[in-house]
């Protein structure tokens, strides 16, 4: 142990104090990150399996911390949700993704993750409408990805907002499907345009996850929803999901998340293949 002043000792193993301290530091840094332009959006392609072409990209937030380097979203998004910063950060992601997508060729879609907290803030509809308008992006080129957390409470408000977004022409997809408590019940609450099957069901090549993959794809198909298999990393996994009525694929095999300036090259290469 090292002396840390006032008779307190700081252990090498992080104790409760140390963890709280790190958290507070991260929170202070996070509050400044937007103003200091430390965020970037990277984009991961998703492909239509019928035509084998890239039809859009998912926007994934990146934090380039000047000292700590790249901090992955899973390490700061829950903190940003606890202190409410996610509303401002999420708004920035929406505006940035719409602006960047407006320069992409053709009808490529941009899919943006929206936190349940952004629904609670009650400004989501206005934010989306204004982001589309400022960017000059047609609404049908935007997809909003929500997790079932958004539908846990205050459901009526959330459903109204989703319906209003859909009326604008925005697509709504259910993300991480199968990981929550009662994913199935959410499917009848709202006509999602797409279900994204969590990568845990794609990665595990056992009989159970295959049965689940098959059932969800069948269910989505009968409900008229598109089905994306997430996290496809190998050709074996790709072959498996092709056999299971999935309509879209997203994963390291078909493209890693990339900086916005890499998109043109990626599209040129994938069109040539
Ligand atoms: P997600 O929405 O499920 O996004 C997919 C995650 O899986 C991304 O991680 C992506 O890089 C990763 N991934 C894609 N293909 C593969 C693969 O083949 N193998 C493996 N092992 N991983 C793959 P990332 O970028 O670290 O994001 C993690 C999570 O953070 C996202 O999961 C999403 O829940 C959240 N997130 C990211 N950006 C935002 C954002 O702008 N707003 C909000 N609210 N959440 C975000
Ligand atoms: Ca997502
Ligand atoms: Ca997901
Ligand atoms: Ca996830």
């Amino acid at each position: 142990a090292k002396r840390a002043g006032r008779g307190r000792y700081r252990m090498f193993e992080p104790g409760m104090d140390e963890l709280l301290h790190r958290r507070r530091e991260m929170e202070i840094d996070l509050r400044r990150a937007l103003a200091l332009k430390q965020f970037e959006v990277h984009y991961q392609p998703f492909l239509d399996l019928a035509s084998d072409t890239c039809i859009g990209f998912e926007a994934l937030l990146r934090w380039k911390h000047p000292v700590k380097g790249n901090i992955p979203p899973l390490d700061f998004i829950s903190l940003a949700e606890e202190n409410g910063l996610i509303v401002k950060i999420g708004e920035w992601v929406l505006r940035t993704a719409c602006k960047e997508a407006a320069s992409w060729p053709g009808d490529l879609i941009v899919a943006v993750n929206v936190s349940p907290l952004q629904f609670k803030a009650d400004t989501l509809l206005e934010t989306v409408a204004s982001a589309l308008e400022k960017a000059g992006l047609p609404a049908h080129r935007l997809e909003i990805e929500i997790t079932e957390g958004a539908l846990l409470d205050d459901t009526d408000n959330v459903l109204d907002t989703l319906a209003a977004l859909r009326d604008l022409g925005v697509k709504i997809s259910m993300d991480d499907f199968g990981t929550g408590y009662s994913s199935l019940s959410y499917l009848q609450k709202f006509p999602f345009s797409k279900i994204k099957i969590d990568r845990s069901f794609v990665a595990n090549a056992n009989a159970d996850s295959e049965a689940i993959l098959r059932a969800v794809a069948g269910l989505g198909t009968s409900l008229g929803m598109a089905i994306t298999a997430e996290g496809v990393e190998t050709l074996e996994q790709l072959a498996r999901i092709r056999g299971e009525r999935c309509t879209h694929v997203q994963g390291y095999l078909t493209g890693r998340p990339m900086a916005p300036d890499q998109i043109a090259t990626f599209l040129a290469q994938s069109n040539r293949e």
Side-chain angles (χ1 to χ4, degrees):
K2 274 197 305 199
R3 268 205 92 105
R6 288 199 161 208
R8 294 170 70 237
Y9 285 84
R10 186 171 292 170
M11 314 300 281
F12 289 108
E13 274 288 292
M16 209 49 181
D17 278 6
E18 180 65 22
L19 289 177
L20 281 172
H21 174 71
R22 281 188 207 165
R23 234 180 123 71
R24 262 198 305 273
E25 267 185 352
M26 189 186 266
E27 180 163 356
I28 292 167
D29 289 350
L30 198 55
R31 284 187 189 283
R32 290 192 284 230
L34 263 183
L36 295 176
K37 301 193 191 309
Q38 291 169 357
F39 290 123
E40 279 177 14
V41 180
H42 282 204
Y43 296 92
Q44 184 178 33
F46 49 90
L47 275 64
D48 171 54
L49 280 170
S51 60
D52 268 334
T53 52
C54 171
I55 58 157
F57 294 83
E58 176 174 1
L60 294 162
L61 183 58
R62 298 291 178 256
W63 182 11
K64 309 232 151 155
H65 191 285
V67 179
K68 292 172 183 135
N70 295 341
I71 305 179
L74 289 176
D75 288 358
F76 66 86
I77 281 177
S78 62
L79 180 61
E81 286 177 331
E82 278 164 42
N83 61 27
L85 283 168
I86 193 67
V87 177
K88 278 261 169 299
I89 296 172
E91 180 173 339
W92 179 85
V93 173
L94 264 165
R95 292 188 185 283
T96 305
C98 288
K99 197 166 57 192
E100 292 181 334
S103 74
W104 300 346
D107 258 349
L108 288 163
I109 293 164
V110 65
V112 178
N113 293 288
V114 169
S115 158
L117 266 286
Q118 292 175 263
F119 283 94
K120 287 223 181 83
D122 253 13
T123 48
L124 186 60
L125 182 61
E126 286 163 61
T127 303
V128 169
S130 122
L132 288 170
E133 199 202 312
K134 275 206 179 136
L137 187 77
H140 71 269
R141 292 186 54 197
L142 176 65
E143 198 165 284
I144 296 286
E145 297 193 359
I146 70 165
T147 52
E148 64 185 65
L151 292 167
L152 277 182
D153 41 42
D154 208 6
T155 311
D156 286 347
N157 259 326
V158 175
L159 290 176
D160 286 349
T161 306
L162 289 177
L165 286 168
R166 188 193 47 201
D167 291 346
L168 276 183
V170 174
K171 292 185 249 302
I172 313 286
S173 57
M174 164 109 294
D175 201 358
D176 299 344
F177 189 82
T179 56
Y181 285 107
S182 50
S183 305
L184 283 182
S185 72
Y186 296 112
L187 289 186
Q188 63 176 13
K189 290 193 181 159
F190 189 79
F192 295 96
S193 25
K194 186 191 270 178
I195 298 172
K196 299 187 76 175
I197 306 183
D198 192 71
R199 79 177 141 85
S200 54
F201 301 106
V202 174
N204 306 323
N206 57 50
D208 284 352
S209 46
E210 272 181 45
I212 290 170
L213 196 70
R214 180 165 313 142
V216 172
L219 186 72
T221 308
S222 11
L223 293 169
M225 299 171 186
I227 317 286
T228 301
E230 290 198 271
V232 171
E233 295 180 353
T234 67
L235 288 166
E236 288 75 12
Q237 290 167 351
L238 180 64
R240 185 144 42 87
I241 62 141
R242 272 191 199 284
E244 303 294 358
R245 285 198 275 188
C246 293
T247 55
H248 298 87
V249 60
Q250 179 178 344
Y252 291 167
L253 180 71
T254 45
R256 295 210 168 228
M258 62 190 85
D261 62 2
Q262 298 175 288
I263 287 180
T265 313
F266 172 84
L267 290 170
Q269 271 166 2
S270 51
N271 287 342
R272 236 180 287 130
E273 270 156 23

